[in-house]
Amino acid sequence: MLTTLIDFMGEERLSWLGGLLVGGLFGFFAQRSRFCLRAAAVEFSRGEGGPRLAVWLLTFGAALVGTQALVALRLLDVSEARQLAQQGSISGALLGGVMFGCGMILARGCASRLLVLSANGNLRALLSGLVFAVTAQASYRGLLLPAREWVTNLWLVDGGPSRDIMAVFGGGTPEKLAFGGLWLLAGLAFAFRSHLQRRLILAALATGVAVVAGWFFTYQLSQASFAPVTLKSLTFSGPSAELLMLVLNSSQLRLGFDLGIIPGVFLGSFIAAASASELKLEGFSDGLGMRRYLLGAVLMGFGAMLAGGCAVGAGVTGASVFALTAWLVLGGMWLGAGLTDLFVDRADMPQPQQAMGSPGA
């Protein structure tokens, strides 16, 4: 079937359409489930273990189990994915992950969440997303490139088995499936504990399936196409920077999977919000809040390019193929988010006696 579609549409248009559909699937269900790593990390760091953590765990577990199930069924081969095949950076993963985690607390959302909220009318998220894309592009090819390369080259790791975290410990696909199942079970446990509605559980699982769909589509396209097709799935840092430069500095449109992701997510989230009557214009309430969001966006943009991906690109997509650096990035994000929440957000919260109207209020 893909061969027929390639003959009819061409590889580039078909790849773009696939990115649009996969992005639309992610955007719709991410909006419905309120999928957000920042919210999950805040709940975890505060010891709450509520619905946001449950949603993230369900999405993460579904992506891991679904991807490895396709590998086990020989419907997917991820050995050529850049997260495994190419040289990686341990230093970039660690520092980039922490920076991204700090940034997403300040901006009140990771890159994907900002895009989802932008489609719902959140102008704070829209501006932060644009600053994120500008910083990502500056880190990739612009003013921040020397700094990114310096940090990246501090500690490198070769591509191949040394980038597969499970292979490092002597495990294979069965162990990856079992480990992914544990995350999925943890998500279900937290979902039942927090009385998460069934529709939110299904939406969270579908959000993770979107990552699996991206892997499956690009792999099948690579097998059917005569032209080289890069194996990939959902990510937001690279596509955001690419779309920005296309709009600002190019008169020719080069279609591809990445170029379909951003408009797909935006459209999917817009449809989900419109169908639930949740479209609402929101802006900044004060200058201090604006500075906080913009600083967070800058940290996320530089951190994502250091880490080789955002909270979805590295934290879910990269982790689903058990890339060593992706798991380090994910750990760094949770650490950075927890520390920033502790020293910034919780430090600004009123003390219980103050909130009750004590003399010190």
Side-chain angles (χ1 to χ4, degrees):
M1 180 179 177
L2 278 181
T3 304
T4 303
L5 290 174
I6 289 173
D7 292 339
F8 178 70
M9 302 177 63
E11 288 92 347
E12 289 187 358
R13 287 190 179 87
L14 182 58
S15 181
W16 175 82
L17 180 61
L20 187 72
L21 294 175
V22 170
L25 177 69
F26 178 90
F28 184 91
F29 288 110
Q31 198 280 340
R32 291 286 80 213
S33 66
R34 306 297 193 266
F35 170 76
C36 179
L37 176 58
R38 181 203 68 86
V42 168
E43 282 191 350
F44 179 78
S45 67
R46 297 182 183 184
E48 297 173 0
R52 300 301 189 208
L53 179 60
V55 166
W56 187 87
L57 287 170
L58 288 169
T59 297
F60 185 68
L64 263 62
V65 171
T67 301
Q68 294 306 316
L70 289 181
V71 173
L73 294 172
R74 298 187 178 181
L75 296 174
L76 174 65
D77 180 3
V78 297
S79 60
E80 294 303 315
R82 69 166 179 85
Q83 293 93 335
L84 295 173
Q86 297 178 11
Q87 186 182 60
S89 170
I90 302 294
S91 52
L94 293 173
L95 183 58
V98 171
M99 289 182 67
F100 192 98
C102 295
M104 71 180 182
I105 294 296
L106 295 176
R108 301 196 186 281
C110 66
S112 62
R113 184 63 179 163
L114 293 179
L115 180 58
V116 168
L117 290 176
S118 297
N120 300 173
N122 191 314
L123 301 180
R124 300 187 302 268
L126 178 61
L127 179 59
S128 300
L130 289 173
V131 173
F132 167 82
V134 169
T135 307
Q137 181 61 33
S139 306
Y140 182 50
R141 290 179 177 172
L143 185 65
L144 297 177
L145 172 61
R148 178 179 67 82
E149 288 185 333
W150 182 80
V151 175
T152 296
N153 291 327
L154 289 175
W155 189 357
L156 299 173
V157 58
D158 292 333
S162 58
R163 284 201 71 181
D164 186 330
I165 191 170
M166 192 62 76
V168 171
F169 293 102
T173 301
E175 288 78 14
K176 293 175 182 177
L177 265 173
F179 192 61
L182 292 177
W183 288 91
L184 192 56
L185 288 174
L188 290 171
F190 277 103
F192 291 133
R193 174 187 171 184
S194 57
H195 306 289
L196 197 66
Q197 296 178 8
R198 182 179 300 178
R199 63 179 180 83
L200 293 178
I201 293 176
L202 294 176
L205 294 172
T207 306
V209 169
V211 173
V212 182
W215 284 123
F216 181 72
F217 172 77
T218 56
Y219 176 72
Q220 295 300 320
L221 185 62
S222 71
Q223 299 301 296
S225 175
F226 289 104
V229 175
T230 304
L231 179 63
K232 60 180 66 177
S233 187
L234 287 170
T235 187
F236 292 90
S237 51
S240 296
E242 181 182 351
L243 184 61
L244 176 69
M245 292 308 298
L246 179 66
V247 172
L248 297 179
N249 197 35
S250 178
S251 59
Q252 295 186 357
L253 188 65
R254 183 177 177 84
L255 297 176
F257 184 83
D258 283 350
L259 199 59
I261 291 175
I262 304 301
V265 172
F266 190 93
L267 183 61
S269 177
F270 177 84
I271 293 172
S275 64
S277 300
E278 293 179 357
L279 294 175
K280 180 183 178 182
L281 282 177
E282 299 179 71
F284 292 100
S285 58
D286 55 54
L288 180 61
M290 183 176 183
R291 291 195 293 272
R292 170 190 170 122
Y293 275 78
L294 297 185
L295 175 59
V298 170
L299 287 172
M300 282 198 296
F302 186 63
M305 298 312 288
L306 267 182
C310 59
V312 172
V316 180
T317 297
S320 70
V321 296
F322 284 80
L324 170 64
T325 49
W327 284 83
L328 294 175
V329 169
L330 188 58
M333 288 178 181
W334 284 82
L335 176 62
L339 291 174
T340 306
D341 176 62
L342 175 63
F343 293 109
V344 177
D345 284 357
R346 275 187 271 178
D348 291 337
M349 294 173 65
Q351 297 299 316
Q353 63 270 24
Q354 294 177 332
M356 294 173 63
S358 67

